[in-house]
Amino acid sequence: MSLPTVSMKLARIAEQSKRNPTMVFTTLAHLMDEEFLKEAFQQLRKNAAAGVDQVTAKEYAEDLDRNIRDLHRRLVENKYRAQPAKRAWAPKDDGSQRPLAILVLEDKIVQKAVAMILEAVYEPMFHEFSFGFRRGRSAHQALTYLRKQCLELGINWILDIDIQKFFDSIDRGRLREILKQRVNDGTILRLIGKWLNAGILEAEKITKTENGTLQGAVISPILANIFLHTVLDEWFKKEVQPRILGRCFLVRFADDFVGGFQYRSDAEQIFKELPKQCEKYGLTIHPKKSRLVQFSRPYWRKGKGPGTFDFLGFTHYWGKTLSGGWTIKRKTQKKRQRRFMKAIWEWCKQNRHERITEQHKMLCAKLRGHYQYYGIRGNYKMLEVVYEYTQRAWKRWLGRRTRNGEIAWESFKDRYRKVFQLPKPRIIHAF
């Protein structure tokens, strides 16, 4: 009889979790054998930056069997030690910077293995309105769900909520308590504790924090989903929906979520209660970025709908159809649009002396990536703005390759423009 594969092990856990929603799993760590760790390695991004030990996935794979065998031995003998993460920064829409963590490869492997186990346990428990960092679910599915709920339920009010520094604010004690309700495996809990307390290396100094989970860590998305499943999803499903007067819905993508309500009184009541619910778990609703928005269907013939809100990079608004009726439309959020165009301008400036073929290849990739996400029905005009701006930026900085920019640009236009066409906007997601 053949031994169970990794997928069979995970399927068995998922089936047990689905069949018995109150079951507490106490023996899971033994599943992480060499085959399991090797599968975890295969599922990692191989082009990610190296951590503080500078070991890349390519180097690790050169002697993968021996490396995995040694890692498994250290796990079994309790000699595995989590390493500090390297700090990196990513720009945010509001001009501030988001802290990111770059882990060493072996920490990523073990975190991925634990994440696979936790996903098998919790996936049957998660609600249909949770879309972030789940297999087979995407941001575009969340957008479709949001629009459908607004139209079908007759939603008139939207709660546009922002949790202040969510990943940095997760109460580790509360998180541990929540995990133990379903996963009370000492080894799994100790590993998670090691990662949360390993610290951050920045400017040759290690800093440790009492709360939060690292953005960029492989384990963080599933921990965030588990935490918010209890804090928000279960609360909404079991306490909010049964007692309000009208229809309502919630849609969540990681820590980004909005709620829709039929009646203003219900929306105002939950808007008051939500901060108290979050405070119980150490979270804070951002007072300036959270708001109540009237989003009812317009019944007049001219003008626009009464309000708009942003979700997952799109501004949602009521607009006219070709037949003269009203429907919910989406367009690229202005901050996201400006950020992308600014990045295109800077890239063209910094790379203007590179080979034309390389510049063209990269700009095509950037535009296709933008269309892939923002190419939804009704958003063509915003895509056109990006396309035309990219053409102008490329023209401007190609013209700066020589002292007489016009000569360089005219030469490019006459000889290469037909060959190096940039991809035109296209709608990818015709919901």
Side-chain angles (χ1 to χ4, degrees):
M1 183 176 179
S2 60
L3 295 175
T5 63
V6 173
S7 59
M8 290 171 62
K9 292 177 182 178
L10 295 175
R12 190 178 302 163
I13 295 172
E15 180 59 32
Q16 288 177 318
S17 180
K18 183 179 180 179
R19 193 169 56 246
N20 189 351
T22 61
M23 179 179 180
V24 180
F25 293 83
T26 57
T27 54
L28 293 171
H30 71 281
L31 298 173
M32 295 192 297
D33 54 17
E34 292 181 25
E35 180 190 11
F36 203 98
L37 294 172
K38 191 176 294 185
E39 176 62 26
F41 171 79
Q42 297 299 340
Q43 292 191 23
L44 293 175
R45 283 178 47 235
K46 302 302 187 294
N47 60 346
V52 294
D53 62 354
Q54 296 301 310
V55 176
T56 65
K58 182 179 180 181
E59 294 169 343
Y60 199 84
E62 291 175 356
D63 199 354
L64 184 61
D65 290 338
R66 185 181 67 81
N67 288 330
I68 291 293
R69 192 180 309 116
D70 180 63
L71 175 59
H72 180 253
R73 176 189 60 79
R74 282 180 279 131
L75 284 168
V76 171
E77 297 176 359
N78 199 26
K79 293 181 179 179
Y80 163 80
R81 297 291 181 268
Q83 300 298 312
K86 186 166 61 175
R87 173 69 79 204
W89 296 93
K92 296 175 67 174
D93 291 336
D94 59 7
S96 61
Q97 290 186 311
R98 175 182 286 108
L100 298 177
I102 303 175
L103 278 63
V104 300
L105 184 62
E106 286 197 335
D107 284 349
K108 293 180 184 178
I109 295 171
V110 185
Q111 286 193 20
K112 184 62 180 179
V114 172
M116 289 159 60
I117 293 173
L118 292 179
E119 286 169 3
V121 173
Y122 283 95
E123 185 60 33
M125 300 172 57
F126 289 155
H127 294 294
E128 74 282 0
F129 52 78
S130 171
F131 292 90
F133 306 114
R134 294 177 62 187
R135 295 180 187 273
R137 288 175 170 251
S138 68
H140 291 100
Q141 289 176 333
L143 292 165
T144 302
Y145 179 86
L146 167 61
R147 184 174 184 271
K148 183 178 179 182
Q149 294 296 303
C150 285
L151 292 172
E152 293 184 354
L153 299 182
I155 295 302
N156 297 305
W157 298 88
I158 291 289
L159 287 186
D160 185 6
I161 304 298
D162 182 88
I163 299 179
Q164 199 164 354
K165 297 182 178 179
F166 168 71
F167 283 94
D168 296 334
S169 302
I170 293 178
D171 187 306
R172 294 173 185 171
R174 291 278 192 175
L175 175 62
R176 184 180 178 87
E177 291 174 7
I178 290 171
L179 286 168
K180 289 176 70 173
Q181 294 174 9
R182 288 290 275 166
V183 177
N184 197 12
D185 183 307
T187 300
I188 297 290
L189 294 176
R190 280 194 298 271
L191 284 172
I192 293 174
K194 287 180 179 181
W195 297 322
L196 295 179
N197 292 293
I200 288 284
L201 179 64
E202 186 174 17
E204 301 183 357
K205 181 180 179 181
I206 296 178
T207 303
K208 296 189 178 183
T209 58
E210 296 182 0
N211 287 318
T213 180
L214 301 176
Q215 294 188 64
V218 177
I219 197 69
S220 290
I222 183 62
L223 293 182
N225 268 341
I226 293 170
F227 196 72
L228 284 176
H229 173 76
T230 297
V231 176
L232 185 65
D233 300 356
E234 286 284 273
W235 173 73
F236 187 84
K237 196 75 175 179
K238 295 179 178 179
E239 297 188 35
V240 173
Q241 284 187 321
R243 62 183 172 85
I244 66 171
L245 298 175
R247 294 183 292 270
C248 67
F249 76 90
L250 182 75
V251 58
R252 182 173 66 81
F253 192 92
D255 63 321
D256 196 357
F257 65 95
V258 296
F261 296 85
Q262 183 182 9
Y263 298 135
R264 179 173 183 169
S265 58
D266 290 335
E268 290 177 339
Q269 180 184 350
I270 302 307
F271 195 30
K272 292 179 181 178
E273 293 181 8
L274 186 57
K276 299 176 184 178
Q277 170 66 12
C278 289
E279 285 173 10
K280 294 179 184 178
Y281 295 87
L283 301 178
T284 303
I285 298 298
H286 200 295
K288 295 182 179 179
K289 295 183 180 180
S290 302
R291 62 198 182 107
L292 178 61
V293 182
Q294 185 181 0
F295 197 69
S296 52
R297 180 191 296 271
Y299 292 100
W300 45 90
R301 290 182 175 273
K302 297 181 179 180
K304 298 181 179 179
T308 67
F309 66 95
D310 298 324
F311 184 63
L312 298 181
F314 289 91
T315 297
H316 301 251
Y317 65 99
W318 283 96
K320 281 294 190 74
T321 64
L322 293 177
S323 60
W326 289 95
T327 191
I328 296 174
K329 297 185 177 183
R330 286 76 53 89
K331 62 182 179 181
T332 309
Q333 191 177 342
K334 288 182 179 179
K335 289 191 294 185
R336 298 286 186 93
Q337 185 99 329
R338 286 195 298 266
R339 185 174 68 181
F340 181 81
M341 292 193 298
K342 180 180 178 181
I344 286 288
W345 182 270
E346 288 298 321
W347 190 91
C348 290
K349 177 182 178 181
Q350 297 297 328
N351 294 273
R352 63 187 184 275
H353 294 297
E354 298 295 327
R355 293 169 59 90
I356 297 291
T357 52
E358 293 302 315
Q359 291 188 50
H360 177 256
K361 180 180 178 181
M362 183 57 69
L363 287 173
C364 287
K366 289 178 180 294
L367 284 175
R368 290 193 186 103
H370 187 81
Y371 302 157
Q372 187 66 37
Y373 186 79
Y374 291 102
I376 69 173
R377 190 172 64 187
N379 196 38
Y380 189 84
K381 288 184 178 180
M382 299 296 280
L383 301 184
E384 263 190 331
V385 171
V386 166
Y387 169 73
E388 292 169 0
Y389 182 87
T390 302
Q391 283 189 314
R392 291 198 303 271
W394 199 21
K395 172 183 176 180
R396 165 68 184 274
W397 291 107
L398 281 179
R400 299 292 292 274
R401 284 161 67 101
T402 63
R403 291 183 179 180
N404 191 333
E406 289 302 317
I407 294 176
W409 174 252
E410 290 299 324
S411 174
F412 169 76
K413 184 175 66 174
D414 294 340
R415 296 171 56 192
Y416 301 113
R417 197 173 184 184
K418 292 183 180 180
V419 177
F420 296 111
Q421 282 280 351
L422 294 175
K424 293 184 177 181
R426 56 186 295 241
I427 300 301
I428 309 294
H429 311 279
F431 303 136

